[in-house]
Each structure stands twice: as C-alpha cells, then as structure tokens.
Amino acid sequence: MSWKRPSEPVRELIRQCAQITVNPRAEWLEELDAEVLAASPAIAADPELAAAVSLSNRANLYFWGAANVRDPGAPVPPNTGPEPMSIAREVARRGLTAFTLDAYRVGEAVAWRRLMEIAFELTSDPAELHELLDVCSRSISAFIDGTLAGIATQIDQELDDLTRGTHAERRETVALILDGAPITRKRAEARLGYALTGPHTAAIIWSDDPAGDMGRLDAAAEALGQAARVRPLTILASTATRWVWVPGKSINTVALGSSIESMPDIRVAIGPCAEGIDGFRRSHFDAITTQQMMARLQSPQRVAFFADVELVALITGDTDRATEFVHHALGELEGAGSELQEYVRVFVDEQCNASRAAARLFTHRNTLLRRLARADELLPRPLAERSVNVAVALEVLRWRGK
C-alpha cells in the first residue's frame, strides 16, 4: 500500500488523537471488551480467554496509539507481542481460530467509532477532518491486517505442535470421551494411563494471570491429587488451564484449601463425584459450569465445589436478573455488611433453629436473636415469610465479587 505523509496540521491532530487513545477512559475499555466478547459467548464464559482478550484489546490500542504519538500518520507495524500471540495459542488449542478474525474486526470497529468522536472534538475544518479520518482509517485497517497475519502464522505453528507428541494423544482421547464418541474403554484407558471404571471427580484449575508462573497449575493439580490421596489425570487444556480427574470419592478440602492459599493466582472449580465414563464426563461439565459461574460473578473465592454452587450457578445465568432478585429479596440488608448477612444465612441454613445457628457461629443465642431482629428491620418482608428467597440471595452475595 502506498503511503502519503499527512500534512503537518493533520499530523498534529493525529498525535492528539493518539495521545487520547494511549490513555483511554475506563468506560471506553469496558465497551471495547464487552463488544468483542459479545461476538463469542463461548469465549466470554471462559475466564482465561476472556482475560487474555481484554489484555490483547488494551495492548493493541496502546500499540497503535504509541506509534502515532512517536510518528503521527506513519504506517504502524503489526503487533506481534505477547498479548495477541497468547490469544493465538489459546484459540488454536481450543479449535476456535475463527474467533480471532471476528474479534479483531469487532475491536477495530469499536476503536474506529471512538476515534471519529475524538476527531470531531478536535477540529471542525472539513478538509482537515477528511484527511485525518482517511489516514487513520487506512492506518488502523493496515495495522489490524498485519497483526492478523502474524496471529495466523502463530496459529499454524500451534496447530503443528498440537498434532505431535503424547499431549496431543491424551487431549484427543479426552475430547473423544467428552464428546461421547465411540472409543472403547480399554483403548481410552491405555492412551490415558487412567482407569475409567469406578467413581471420578473432575476439576478445572486455571490461573488469573496468563503471564504468571504456569508451574503453579501443575503444582495445584498435584495438590488436588494429594488431597484425594491418588495420582491425578492432568490434561493441558491450554497454557493457563488444566483439566484434572481424580479417582475415588474423598477429597480433603482443608488440605486442598491450604495448598491453594499459597498460590494467589490459582483457582479451582470441582465437579461432583460420579461413576464410570459417564461420570468422568458429567463431573467435568459440572466443573466447567462452576468455573463459568465464578468468572461470571467475578467471585473472590479460590476453590468452589459444584455441590455448593449449583443453585447459585442456575440463578445467576442471567446476571442482570440475578442482581434484581438480590435487590428485591434483601432490600437494605444487601448493603448491611457481611457479618450480619452471615448471621442470617447460617440461621436459615440451620432450618431457622436459633440454638444450632448460635453454636455454629460461636456466639450467644441472644446475640443472634438481636442480629436477626435488625435484619428484619432491613428486609423488605420479614425473614419468616421469605426465608428461602433471602437464603438464595445471600448465597449469590457470598459468591459474587464486589
């Protein structure tokens, strides 16, 4: 593409636009992430990919802006830095390569809308606006084209790597089992080195920090195995995610929690124990549901069991409706603080038995009754009339991030 140097007045306007782009408003970034992720709900539901997409959005915006601050209106080279290359690796490993093109085009459209708004705020001169928008349009398009070409090359390399070695065979075998494909149990067990008879508990282990130490993922998988006193089956689902299965029914949750506490970026979603190949599959999908709920609610919890969150996962499938439900059920109790909410939650959990609830909370029964009376003052309707709704709403709050 031939590239004509812009006039000096327009170069200065491009520099000003780029300076604003390099320091974008928070609501611009939120809009960018929301529209890009809306193009693929499957990606939006995956906390690792969603975080990587968000990082890539910001990296591309900064890359283009910084280049135009340095040399306004000059061609911007492709961004082949760690953020877009991370996206390439992960979507290739998940077989979602078409998303890359869609996402970058959506991001390009959002950025272009914002840039036009900035341009019209900077000048009202028709000739300057025409030249400014023409140069920026060609620049952004060429930048995205070049970046996508680099990503395509990386995807090809990743796909080539994934088709070789034992990792590919194990990942393929698990995919066949999860898809319900006609693979015999003996053949699957031979390829996995894992018995598919008996009970299984599946887990999803992932990192909130794609740039962090991925060795902690494997350490967390080993910690899960130690908590179950068995050797786990671990599958490299992506750079920052491990799929894990342990045979048996018993997991020492205290030991697991202690191990995970030393790994601040690691999270674990655990499915229910279930029997045989069907159980192997079902426990995994329930662990996925648990992971998606934690991501959807931006939960501060580090470890979650499907058995503990099944109802919350169902209720919060539509986050806006869930927020309305919490408001309607709790009223002013929603903002009353976690201590009072915990008193109410435990009281309902103990079938509204004050003595048992007080013992569980290590407090005096009269103290509990005073707290419950205060809660009744804050609730839209008395607790005795709406105890189930209140308990569900409090569970949503317990798992939801602030």
Side-chain angles (χ1 to χ4, degrees), residues 11 15 18-19 62-77:
R11 276 173 53 83
R15 187 192 302 277
Q19 287 173 332
Y62 183 86
F63 193 97
W64 185 88
N68 277 282
V69 169
R70 292 191 301 269
D71 192 358
V76 179

Side-chain angles (χ1 to χ4, degrees), residues 54 90 97 108 174 177 189 203 243 255 264 313 318 323 333 339 355 395:
S54 180
E90 301 313 330
T97 53
E108 177 184 356
V174 165
I177 295 172
E189 288 178 339
W243 293 348
D318 182 329
T323 298
L333 182 60
E339 184 179 17
S355 297
E395 279 297 311

Side-chain angles (χ1 to χ4, degrees), residues 17 24 57 114 137 169 172 186 239-240 274 308 336 389:
C17 282
N57 287 340
R114 285 300 182 188
S137 175
E169 183 176 88
E172 178 190 21
K186 288 186 177 181
T239 302
D308 295 332
N389 286 35

Side-chain angles (χ1 to χ4, degrees), residues 132-263:
L132 170 61
L133 294 177
D134 177 66
V135 172
C136 288
S137 175
R138 291 187 295 116
S139 174
I140 292 173
S141 180
F143 168 64
I144 293 298
D145 286 345
T147 299
L148 285 173
I151 289 174
T153 299
Q154 182 67 34
I155 287 173
D156 289 341
Q157 293 176 356
E158 291 295 326
L159 291 175
D160 183 60
D161 290 343
L162 289 174
T163 57
R164 296 174 298 170
T166 57
H167 162 70
E169 183 176 88
R170 287 157 60 88
R171 180 69 175 82
E172 178 190 21
T173 303
V174 165
L176 291 172
I177 295 172
L178 296 179
D179 289 342
I183 181 172
T184 66
R185 178 177 60 81
K186 288 186 177 181
R187 184 183 178 203
E189 288 178 339
R191 296 176 74 175
L192 294 175
Y194 178 88
L196 293 169
T197 54
H200 310 278
T201 300
I204 310 297
I205 300 175
W206 76 101
S207 171
D208 285 333
D209 181 9
D213 178 8
M214 294 301 104
R216 284 198 291 271
L217 289 167
D218 300 313
E222 288 300 320
L224 178 61
Q226 291 172 8
R229 296 184 177 181
V230 293
R231 183 170 177 267
L233 168 65
T234 302
I235 300 297
L236 176 66
S238 69
T239 302
T241 301
R242 301 291 184 269
W243 293 348
V244 183
W245 285 264
V246 293
K249 300 180 179 180
S250 177
I251 295 177
N252 186 329
T253 56
V254 174
L256 177 62
S258 298
S259 298
I260 299 303
E261 280 302 313
S262 65
M263 309 174 194

Side-chain angles (χ1 to χ4, degrees), residues 8-20:
E8 286 304 318
V10 169
R11 276 173 53 83
E12 180 54 32
L13 289 172
I14 293 174
R15 187 192 302 277
Q16 293 176 40
C17 282
Q19 287 173 332
I20 295 172

